[in-house]
């Protein structure tokens, strides 16, 4: 025109797209955002936006894993000012990858695609070291003879307990180390004899407690003529000594004193008896180490 012209240029901040992808699918699937959140494989994201403006927007991603999982990685990719691939550097990120939390970052002048990946947690299974099982029982956790194993959430764990000769299983407990509560344990048909105890792994490390006790074996006595058996033990376990006292009647003496049992192979065997004194005309107390078997005591007088 035949006059001065004034040109006014107005700039507006550009909105760049922000996408979210499921790192646990193959190929990666783009998440559908609804109400600022989305469910992914093994977790979810909250408080997310789908657009942002360069250096004005400070977006956040709240990442929460499912039970039994933790955050493996949250990676944001974009194209920088010179057209090269670049990775988002987070301003803040959660310190607890199991509980999850918030990631924040500065919006670049580019579209951004985030890939969120979760991974299963291997929780520790520890055999309680405060319980002495040496010589009392053999314990296999997941088929391994050791004090530490591990398992993923909700998997079935087998604890095989084999009591040694002279011992029996009282109980097998599994303690959730996070809550301190008992985990439900499925017992074999006969707990005392041991076998496979199973439980579903919680989303926590656990401590296995195997409670073992000595078996009490019966002691039987004959009823002899011309004397008595007194002060006799009726039950003992094989960690203890047992005793009885043989007393001849007036005019009689101790003839034979025997204590027999069956060994672990089913063969008859005799126990070694220790007499309190050597005069067979007097009351004598006999002691012996209790075997892992019932015992039959036989005393005769003459």
């Amino acid at each position: 025109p035949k006059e001065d012209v004034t040109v006014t240029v107005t700039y507006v901040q550009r909105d760049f797209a922000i996408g979210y992808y499921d790192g646990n699918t193959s190929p990666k699937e783009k998440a559908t955002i609804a109400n600022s959140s989305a469910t992914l494989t093994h977790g979810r994201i909250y408080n997310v936006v789908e657009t942002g403006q360069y250096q004005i927007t400070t977006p956040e991603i709240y990442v929460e894993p499912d039970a039994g999982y933790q955050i493996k990685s949250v990676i944001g990719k974009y194209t920088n000012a010179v057209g090269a691939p670049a990775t988002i550097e987070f301003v803040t990120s959660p310190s607890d990858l199991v509980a999850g939390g918030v990631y924040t970052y500065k919006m670049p002048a580019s579209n951004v695609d985030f890939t969120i990946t979760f991974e299963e947690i291997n929780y520790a299974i520890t055999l309680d070291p405060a319980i002495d099982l040496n010589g009392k029982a053999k314990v296999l956790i997941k088929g391994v003879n050791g004090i530490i194993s591990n398992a993923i959430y909700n998997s079935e764990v087998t604890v095989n307990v084999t009591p040694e000769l002279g011992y029996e299983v009282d109980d097998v407990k599994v303690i959730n180390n996070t809550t301190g509560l008992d985990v439900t344990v499925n017992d074999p048909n006969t707990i005392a004899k041991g076998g496979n105890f199973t439980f579903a792994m919680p989303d926590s490390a656990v401590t296995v407690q195997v409670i073992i006790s000595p078996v009490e074996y019966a002691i039987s006595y004959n009823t002899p003529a011309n004397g008595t058996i007194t002060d006799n033990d009726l039950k003992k376990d094989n960690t203890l000594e047992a005793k009885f006292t043989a007393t001849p009647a007036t005019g009689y003496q101790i003839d034979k004193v025997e204590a027999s049992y069956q060994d672990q192979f089913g063969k008859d065997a005799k126990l070694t008896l220790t007499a309190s004194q050597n005069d067979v005309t007097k009351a004598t107390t006999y002691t012996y180490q209790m075997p892992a078997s019932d015992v039959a005591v036989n005393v005769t007088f003459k």
Side-chain angles (χ1 to χ4, degrees), residues 47-59:
N47 300 337
V48 298
V49 294
E50 295 184 88
T51 61
Q53 296 177 340
Y54 173 60
Q55 290 191 340
I56 291 180
T57 306
T58 305

Side-chain angles (χ1 to χ4, degrees), residues 73-126:
S73 62
V74 177
I75 300 172
K77 294 291 187 181
Y78 69 99
T79 302
N80 64 18
V82 297
T87 302
I88 290 290
E89 294 185 6
F90 291 106
V91 177
T92 62
S93 59
S95 58
D96 187 342
L97 299 181
V98 177
V102 177
Y103 293 80
T104 62
Y105 60 98
K106 288 288 187 180
M107 188 68 192
S110 171
N111 297 332
V112 183
D113 285 331
F114 286 96
T115 300
I116 299 95
T117 307
F118 301 98
E119 63 182 355
E120 286 183 307
I121 303 170
N122 265 314
Y123 295 101
I125 306 169
T126 305

Side-chain angles (χ1 to χ4, degrees), residues 212-272:
I212 301 290
S213 65
V215 177
E216 283 197 326
Y217 295 97
I219 307 172
S220 61
Y221 301 85
N222 70 318
T223 305
N226 306 314
T228 60
I229 302 173
T230 58
D231 297 329
N232 50 306
D233 294 315
L234 298 178
K235 283 185 177 181
K236 285 285 182 176
D237 66 61
N238 70 320
T239 67
L240 302 173
E241 281 191 340
K243 63 180 177 61
F244 61 91
T245 299
T247 304
T250 302
Y252 289 86
Q253 66 182 24
I254 298 170
D255 182 19
K256 292 181 180 179
V257 180
E258 291 182 340
S260 59
Y261 71 102
Q262 285 193 334
D263 65 18
Q264 65 188 96
F265 305 107
K267 293 183 178 180
D268 292 334
K270 303 291 184 185
L271 290 167
T272 299

Side-chain angles (χ1 to χ4, degrees), residues 166-241:
Y167 291 87
E168 63 185 4
V169 181
D170 287 339
D171 199 6
V172 172
K173 293 184 176 181
V174 178
I175 311 299
N176 184 312
N177 290 359
T178 301
T179 64
L181 300 176
D182 287 354
V183 177
T184 299
V185 177
N186 300 308
D187 301 327
N189 292 333
T190 306
I191 295 177
K193 294 181 179 180
N196 289 330
F197 298 78
T198 62
F199 65 94
M201 190 70 185
D203 55 342
S204 168
V206 298
T207 299
V208 176
Q209 296 179 334
V210 179
I211 314 300
I212 301 290
S213 65
V215 177
E216 283 197 326
Y217 295 97
I219 307 172
S220 61
Y221 301 85
N222 70 318
T223 305
N226 306 314
T228 60
I229 302 173
T230 58
D231 297 329
N232 50 306
D233 294 315
L234 298 178
K235 283 185 177 181
K236 285 285 182 176
D237 66 61
N238 70 320
T239 67
L240 302 173
E241 281 191 340

